[in-house]
């Protein structure tokens, strides 16, 4: 931890923020860390809510999208609509190696053979590089999504990326997310209306039957996390 953060009582702060609304948590995070504050979003419904809230707050945050070479066209379109509506840039971050270089080294369609390695090259390593220099990053995870996410705190030390992680939506449900989107007319990925509750790369995202685990469409149930939020 940096000298500034090491003196900071993260556990006490997490307890203090536990009952606060996502907007209040973002107010705290931006006043504490901006401009050394980053946020990654894959344009899921939760991330769209956070972009809308951050736009209202107006403090500088480095918002970025990891371009994995395999995002849906609808995801890229959602990024554009968010930028247009809120007037804030969403940076595109890519792996250090191009798609061609990855294919030369590992063969075509790495995701078919090794999703761990593919996610590491295309998501985990680019995020690690991008958050270097930031003191904190914001994620859009919710506790009710996976067992790993259930163990998270509103604000916590992220061992993997070595900075503070702020999770403003931790206590929200899927219903809360959609209530915010509809009330505030937030742009969202139209694939959510077509049976995709959780949207990542197109090779690893399938439609989900009504009532099934919303994340069961990711990696065909083989795993629950890409590595960004694993504990
Ligand atoms: S989600 Fe699939 S295609 Fe995307 S980086 Fe991970 S393994 Fe590769």
């Amino acid at each position: 931890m940096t000298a500034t953060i090491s003196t900071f009582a993260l556990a006490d702060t997490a307890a203090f923020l536990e009952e606060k609304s996502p907007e209040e948590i973002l107010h705290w995070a931006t006043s504490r860390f901006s401009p050394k504050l980053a946020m990654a979003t894959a344009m899921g419904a939760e991330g769209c809510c956070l972009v809308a809230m951050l736009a209202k707050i107006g403090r500088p945050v480095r918002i970025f999208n990891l371009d994995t070479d395999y995002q849906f066209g609808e995801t890229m379109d959602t990024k554009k609509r968010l930028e247009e509506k809120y007037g804030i840039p969403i940076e595109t971050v890519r792996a250090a190696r191009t798609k061609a270089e990855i294919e030369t080294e590992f063969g075509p369609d790495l995701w078919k053979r090794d999703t761990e390695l593919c996610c590491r090259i295309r998501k985990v390593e680019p995020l690690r590089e991008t958050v270097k220099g930031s003191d904190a990053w914001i994620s859009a995870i919710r506790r009710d999504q996976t067992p790993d996410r259930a163990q998270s705190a509103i604000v916590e030390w992220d061992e993997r990326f070595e900075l503070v992680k702020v999770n403003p939506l931790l206590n929200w449900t899927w219903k809360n997310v959609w209530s915010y989107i509809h009330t505030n007319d937030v742009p969202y990925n139209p694939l959510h209306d077509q049976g995709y509750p959780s949207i990542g790369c197109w090779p690893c995202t399938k439609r989900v039957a009504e009532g099934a685990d919303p994340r069961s469409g990711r990696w065909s149930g083989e795993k629950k996390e890409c590595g960004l939020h694993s504990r």
Side-chain angles (χ1 to χ4, degrees):
M1 294 193 198
T2 67
T4 319
I5 297 167
S6 63
T7 56
F8 193 61
L10 283 181
D12 286 352
T13 306
F16 167 73
L17 293 173
E18 184 65 32
E19 304 296 324
K20 304 290 183 195
S21 69
E23 289 96 332
E24 289 171 318
I25 296 166
L26 287 175
H27 268 286
W28 171 83
T30 53
S31 62
R32 175 67 180 79
F33 297 110
S34 177
K36 291 182 132 190
L37 180 60
M39 179 182 130
T41 176
M43 310 309 143
E46 295 90 345
C48 294
C49 293
L50 291 178
V51 169
M53 291 174 195
L54 287 169
K56 268 192 210 161
I57 293 170
R59 296 193 185 108
V61 176
R62 185 181 184 187
I63 304 175
F64 64 94
N65 167 249
L66 297 168
D67 181 353
T68 60
D69 302 317
Y70 293 110
Q71 293 195 104
F72 287 94
E74 289 87 343
T75 301
M76 303 319 295
D77 183 57
T78 305
K79 174 179 181 288
K80 270 191 223 139
R81 288 188 293 123
L82 285 166
E83 289 178 314
E84 281 164 15
K85 173 150 186 170
Y86 298 113
I88 49 175
I90 299 175
E91 193 180 333
T92 298
V93 169
R94 294 188 172 84
R97 286 172 277 193
T98 64
K99 187 169 186 249
E101 286 169 338
I102 294 169
E103 289 184 351
T104 300
E105 189 170 348
F106 301 104
D109 303 334
L110 180 58
W111 51 269
K112 281 185 183 164
R113 286 168 284 110
D114 193 339
T115 62
E116 284 303 317
L117 180 59
C118 190
C119 283
R120 190 157 78 236
I121 293 171
R122 292 187 155 101
K123 293 185 175 186
V124 177
E125 289 173 6
L127 187 135
R128 189 189 310 283
E129 282 307 307
T130 307
V131 299
K132 273 183 188 164
S134 292
D135 287 338
W137 74 294
I138 299 166
S139 94
I141 61 171
R142 293 184 286 114
R143 278 200 179 106
D144 63 4
Q145 289 174 310
T146 69
D148 270 4
R149 296 180 186 198
Q151 296 173 44
S152 300
I154 301 286
V155 56
E156 58 191 356
W157 182 249
D158 189 330
E159 293 285 349
R160 176 166 293 212
F161 299 115
E162 298 186 314
L163 76 175
V164 173
K165 184 176 182 185
V166 183
N167 305 306
L169 301 182
L170 219 48
N171 288 323
W172 263 19
T173 61
W174 191 228
K175 204 172 159 190
N176 293 137
V177 172
W178 286 98
S179 170
Y180 186 89
I181 284 179
H182 294 312
T183 304
N184 295 281
D185 196 22
V186 177
Y188 66 90
N189 194 325
L191 291 174
H192 285 307
D193 295 332
Q194 298 167 36
Y196 296 88
S198 177
I199 303 165
C201 300
W202 61 260
C204 303
T205 303
K206 300 279 179 291
R207 277 196 176 86
V208 168
E210 206 155 333
D213 174 357
R215 286 189 70 81
S216 60
R218 304 291 298 277
W219 302 285
S220 302
E222 175 198 322
K223 61 179 187 176
K224 295 265 186 201
E225 298 285 0
C226 60
L228 300 184
H229 305 294
S230 306
R231 301 184 73 80

